[in-house]
């Protein structure tokens, strides 16, 4: 699997040639973007960001992502120099430019990055603003059939008393360390971080859900990002009349669950079939994750699993 991921990353990097980016008021080739080594985003992680994807070329829940970006900006007292509507329009234009430059590509990812720039903390704002777009990759396609494995890491999520998890930021060394710890246990596993009280928090870019006796349970946002994909999953449970609770969950709840899954922007819903080398339920993707994937596919007008697996089959051939 690692070799496959490396192949896909190389493929995606090659495909990035020719993609246009918005950088500080100008459109340019992504290769022309130059970040100052004195930029606070680089020197102290003084940066917030968002990542989205498209379905059939249409941005998914862009409004919710941009609203979260501007909540993060407000909290950290950073001025992007653009309104939320302007940031939305720039992102939509980035996608349209990508469609023209790469008509062979079906779907894209988008990312907005805002740093405080090179100014001192209390100087007038001089932000660095970058909006990127690239081809949506599907390296994870076969995992819909087998599920991803999780490892509860030693490294914890940030305490909300230290850094509020509702900010989407790049101060993520704890995520890096947690991923290394998961790799030590199982090379392809993803980490699950606990909060400062020992309850489940989140993955290193994913929200966690467990299913017990027909009830979906997920950690509160005490120490987890208010994921947009998490919100989509919650909305779908309401539409499908599936009971869901947000509550403090212990590792015990994950070990003894009937099934579990992650939500994240690219994969939408990904089954988790093992944690700490223990099978979850029968060790196979469970019916609840399949039901949510089907509902999500219907909502966006595309077979999410079929698209991913079809793309990988085409790449392999």
């Amino acid at each position: 699997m690692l070799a496959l991921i490396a192949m896909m990353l190389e493929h995606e990097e090659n495909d990035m040639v020719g993609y246009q980016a918005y950088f500080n008021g100008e459109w340019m080739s992504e290769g022309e973007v130059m970040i100052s080594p004195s930029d606070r985003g680089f020197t102290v992680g003084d940066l917030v960001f968002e990542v989205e994807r498209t379905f059939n070329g249409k941005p998914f829940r862009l409004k919710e992502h941009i609203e979260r970006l501007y909540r993060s900006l407000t909290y950290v007292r950073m001025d992007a120099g653009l309104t939320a509507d302007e940031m939305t329009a720039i992102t939509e234009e980035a996608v349209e430019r990508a469609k023209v430059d790469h008509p062979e590509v079906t779907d894209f990812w988008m990312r907005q990055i805002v740093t405080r720039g090179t100014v001192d903390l209390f100087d007038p704002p001089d932000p660095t603003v970058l909006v990127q777009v690239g081809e949506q990759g599907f390296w994870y396609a076969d995992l819909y059939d087998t599920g991803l494995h999780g490892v509860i890491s030693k490294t914890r999520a940030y305490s909300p008393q230290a850094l509020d998890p509702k900010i989407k930021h790049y101060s993520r060394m704890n995520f890096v360390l947690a991923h290394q710890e998961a790799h030590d246990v199982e090379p392809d596993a993803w980490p699950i971080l606990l909060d400062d009280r020992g309850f489940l928090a989140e993955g290193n870019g994913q929200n966690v859900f467990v299913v017990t006796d027909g009830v979906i349970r997920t950690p509160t946002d005490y120490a987890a990002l208010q994921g947009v994909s998490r919100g989509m999953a919650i909305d779908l449970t309401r539409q499908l009349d599936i009971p869901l609770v947000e509550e403090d969950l212990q590792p015990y709840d994950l070990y003894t669950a009937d099934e579990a899954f992650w939500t994240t922007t690219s994969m939408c819903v990904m089954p988790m079939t093992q944690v700490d080398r223990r099978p979850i339920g029968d060790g196979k993707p469970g019916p609840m994750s399949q039901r949510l994937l089907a509902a999500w596919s219907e909502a966006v007008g595309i077979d999410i699993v079929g698209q991913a697996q079809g793309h990988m089959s085409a790449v392999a051939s």
Side-chain angles (χ1 to χ4, degrees), residues 13-21 28-31 97-98 100-102 133:
E13 288 172 359
N14 291 338
D15 279 354
M16 285 307 300
V17 177
Y19 279 92
Q20 297 181 60
M28 61 186 70
S29 167
E30 189 181 63
R97 286 171 177 258
V100 171
D101 293 339
H102 298 272
V133 63

Side-chain angles (χ1 to χ4, degrees), residues 2-311:
L2 290 176
L4 177 61
I5 294 174
M7 178 190 74
M8 290 305 301
L9 289 175
E10 181 179 1
H11 174 71
E12 290 173 11
E13 288 172 359
N14 291 338
D15 279 354
M16 285 307 300
V17 177
Y19 279 92
Q20 297 181 60
Y22 173 92
F23 182 62
N24 290 342
E26 299 182 26
W27 290 97
M28 61 186 70
S29 167
E30 189 181 63
E32 297 177 299
V33 173
M34 303 288 287
I35 305 290
S36 168
S38 299
D39 192 290
R40 289 180 60 86
F42 178 74
T43 58
V44 293
D46 192 2
L47 173 159
V48 297
F49 77 106
E50 282 291 329
V51 178
E52 308 86 25
R53 66 162 291 180
T54 67
F55 290 101
N56 282 329
K58 182 180 179 180
F60 178 68
R61 292 208 163 187
L62 181 58
K63 178 177 181 290
E64 288 84 349
H65 279 281
I66 297 300
E67 287 176 348
R68 187 174 64 181
L69 175 68
Y70 276 77
R71 290 196 300 271
S72 294
L73 288 167
T74 297
Y75 187 89
V76 302
R77 293 184 274 185
M78 193 184 297
D79 182 2
L82 297 166
T83 66
D85 287 344
E86 289 170 333
M87 187 70 77
T88 299
I90 290 167
T91 303
E92 292 172 338
E93 182 175 349
V95 172
E96 293 306 312
R97 286 171 177 258
K99 289 179 183 178
V100 171
D101 293 339
H102 298 272
E104 75 285 359
V105 175
T106 303
D107 276 311
F108 304 91
W109 57 261
M110 305 87 75
R111 175 165 51 210
Q112 304 83 20
I113 296 174
V114 182
T115 86
R116 211 176 301 270
T118 59
V119 299
D120 290 334
L121 182 59
F122 297 107
D123 284 348
D126 184 25
T128 296
V129 179
L130 173 65
V131 178
Q132 299 172 275
V133 63
E135 181 179 359
Q136 174 64 37
F138 298 101
W139 61 267
Y140 48 84
D142 290 343
L143 295 173
Y144 285 116
D145 294 331
T146 61
L148 268 167
H149 295 175
V151 170
I152 297 177
S153 64
K154 176 184 69 176
T155 296
R156 297 291 180 99
Y158 288 123
S159 164
Q161 282 76 42
L163 184 58
D164 197 297
K166 288 178 280 295
I167 310 164
K168 193 170 177 70
H169 55 82
Y170 269 169
S171 300
R172 295 187 161 204
M173 185 59 75
N174 63 332
F175 282 1
V176 173
L177 297 175
H179 197 87
Q180 290 174 331
E181 292 160 8
H183 184 273
D184 289 342
V185 176
E186 188 176 354
D188 295 328
W190 281 7
I192 301 165
L193 288 77
L194 304 179
D195 66 24
D196 56 351
R197 306 165 302 162
F199 293 113
L200 301 181
E202 59 184 349
N204 61 345
Q206 314 85 27
N207 289 107
V208 176
F209 293 75
V210 304
V211 182
T212 308
D213 296 329
V215 177
I216 297 179
R217 307 161 69 193
T218 192
T220 71
D221 61 9
Y222 170 82
L225 183 71
Q226 295 173 330
V228 172
S229 296
R230 173 182 183 269
M232 175 65 173
I234 291 172
D235 289 345
L236 290 175
T237 64
R238 292 170 180 154
Q239 294 173 23
L240 298 170
D241 290 326
I242 300 171
L244 179 141
V245 294
E246 300 176 52
E247 61 182 351
D248 291 332
L249 296 172
Q250 299 174 329
Y252 173 91
D253 297 302
L254 183 54
Y255 292 147
T256 61
D258 299 322
E259 67 173 287
F261 58 87
W262 323 76
T263 58
T264 186
T265 296
S266 57
M267 303 175 181
C268 304
V269 175
M270 175 56 67
M272 185 194 320
T273 52
Q274 183 173 294
V275 63
D276 291 346
R277 296 190 176 275
R278 306 179 185 206
I280 298 173
D282 63 4
K284 299 177 181 178
M288 201 69 79
S289 62
Q290 306 306 304
R291 191 175 175 189
L292 288 175
L293 273 169
W296 203 312
S297 295
E298 183 177 354
V300 298
I302 192 169
D303 180 350
I304 292 169
V305 176
Q307 179 194 39
Q309 295 182 344
H311 179 89

